[in-house]
């Protein structure tokens, strides 16, 4: 087992396929080979658990049932239908990729792995998943599930934070990969999320536990090995909730930082408006690699003339409490409006 390259592990992949045939999760996107729907599901569930994101996926597909519909939609509407999934750059990228498909591939989803990889926002994992599931491609869809299952199966201490981990575990995957790569990739996804969990794995229910080295050595918790952990950065933000008679002012964020293209309160105000500050609230919010401390000042403009001048001399967007849900706000700002 110290030189797995010299051994034959194809029977492991076949065990996984047999297990998958009997235990595959009944999910709507598994009833289709439509590459558009498989692509959307893979992007949705990259950062979202299936039980949390399923309704979002169904609603998104209902509104944008095909590439053409998505490509022709307004970006703000795409962002609105992504609401609740977070990581909004994913929505921006799939919108751009849909336009790519219409322009560069005449509206037909590309068939080959290398061509799929050219689409905006699609990485090696997603390209391999779509290629294998829809077009019988032969690339393993290596993600965190693969890292975890393979490192435990081979008791392999290769550091998954290493920049070469994708290539390394892709090679390991090919050792056990059967001919039906599409079902194999989905079997590994199900095994990693349902059985070989990061914590409290259900080893007794695992179809390959007889061959798993970490299980036989009772060292499951030692794998996978990760030495580098990304430290979350502290970030302070300031907003001014400028409002009058049920209306408030917002603007759209650019796409060069967090919360790309979402709507936000004003990040600064003129000295003239400072007299209208009624109070301030601090909101803490965690992103994947950032700890946010957000100060939100309540600015109730008491002067009709100041309000009109403010609107006339700036390109702010006017929203109100009744219709704000038609825009996509970062979660902490949306909560602030709800609770105001």
């Amino acid at each position: 087992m110290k030189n797995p390259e010299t051994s034959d592990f194809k029977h492991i992949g076949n065990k996984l396929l047999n297990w998958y045939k009997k235990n595959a999760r009944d999910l709507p996107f598994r009833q289709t080979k439509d590459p558009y729907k498989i692509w959307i599901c893979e992007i949705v569930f990259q950062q979202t658990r299936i039980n949390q994101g399923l309704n979002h996926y169904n609603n998104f597909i209902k509104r944008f049932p095909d590439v053409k519909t998505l490509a022709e939609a307004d970006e703000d509407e795409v962002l609105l239908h992504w609401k609740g999934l977070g990581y909004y750059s994913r929505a921006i990228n799939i919108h751009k990729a849909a336009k790519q498909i219409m322009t560069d591939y005449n509206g037909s989803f590309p068939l080959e792995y290398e061509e799929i990889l050219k689409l905006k926002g699609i990485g090696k994992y997603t390209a391999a998943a779509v290629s294998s599931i829809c077009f019988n491609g032969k690339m393993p869809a290596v993600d965190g599930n693969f890292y975890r299952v393979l490192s435990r199966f081979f008791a392999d201490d290769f550091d998954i934070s290493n920049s070469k981990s994708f290539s390394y575990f892709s090679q390991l995957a090919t050792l056990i990969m059967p001919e039906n790569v599409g079902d194999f990739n989905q079997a590994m996804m199900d095994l990693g999320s349902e059985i070989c969990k990061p914590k409290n794995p259900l080893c007794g229910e695992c179809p390959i536990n007889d061959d798993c080295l970490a299980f036989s050595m009772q060292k499951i918790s030692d794998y996978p090995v990760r030495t580098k952990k990304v430290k979350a950065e502290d970030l302070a933000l300031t907003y001014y909730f400028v409002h009058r008679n049920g209306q408030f002012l917002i603007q759209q964020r650019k796409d060069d930082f967090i919360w790309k293209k979402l709507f936000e309160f004003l990040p600064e105000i003129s000295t003239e408006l400072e007299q209208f500050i009624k109070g301030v609230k601090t909101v803490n919010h965690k992103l994947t690699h950032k700890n946010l401390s957000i100060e939100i000042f309540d600015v109730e403009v008491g002067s009709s003339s100041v309000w009109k001048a403010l609107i006339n001399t700036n390109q702010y967007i006017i929203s109100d409490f009744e219709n704000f849900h038609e825009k996509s706000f970062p979660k902490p700002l949306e909560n602030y409006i709800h609770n105001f």
Side-chain angles (χ1 to χ4, degrees), residues 48-172:
T48 309
R49 292 182 181 277
I50 285 183
N51 59 350
Q52 295 173 329
L54 203 50
N55 284 337
H56 291 287
Y57 165 80
N58 288 332
N59 292 334
F60 194 90
I61 290 296
K62 184 177 180 181
R63 172 59 189 90
F64 309 109
D66 50 49
V67 171
K68 185 173 185 292
T69 307
L70 178 59
E72 293 176 349
D74 183 76
E75 184 180 66
D76 286 347
E77 188 183 6
V78 176
L79 288 169
L80 186 62
H81 281 78
W82 199 262
K83 195 172 183 177
L85 286 169
Y87 302 93
Y88 284 86
S89 59
R90 292 182 295 168
I92 294 171
N93 285 338
I94 63 171
H95 190 223
K96 290 179 179 177
K99 292 182 176 182
Q100 262 184 281
I101 293 170
M102 296 303 298
T103 302
D104 299 344
Y105 300 95
N106 297 316
S108 297
F109 205 97
L111 307 181
E112 301 297 328
Y113 170 82
E114 295 296 340
E115 293 300 312
I116 298 172
L117 203 55
K118 292 178 182 178
L119 297 178
K120 183 70 174 178
I122 290 189
K124 293 178 180 179
Y125 162 77
T126 303
V130 175
S131 170
S132 65
I133 294 170
C134 303
F135 307 120
N136 200 30
K138 302 301 180 184
M139 296 290 291
V142 174
D143 66 349
N145 291 314
F146 271 73
Y147 289 161
R148 191 162 57 255
V149 172
L150 293 172
S151 63
R152 287 172 175 173
F153 179 80
F154 289 109
D156 195 307
D157 61 0
F158 192 93
D159 186 353
I160 66 171
S161 64
N162 187 302
S163 61
K164 297 180 180 178
S165 59
F166 183 89
S167 297
Y168 181 85
F169 283 98
S170 292
Q171 290 179 336
L172 271 191

Side-chain angles (χ1 to χ4, degrees), residues 262-277:
L262 299 194
F263 291 87
E264 64 180 355
F265 307 151
L266 308 191
E268 57 185 8
I269 58 172
S270 65
T271 54
E272 183 184 19
L273 288 179
E274 290 178 359
Q275 62 180 308
F276 300 116
I277 293 177

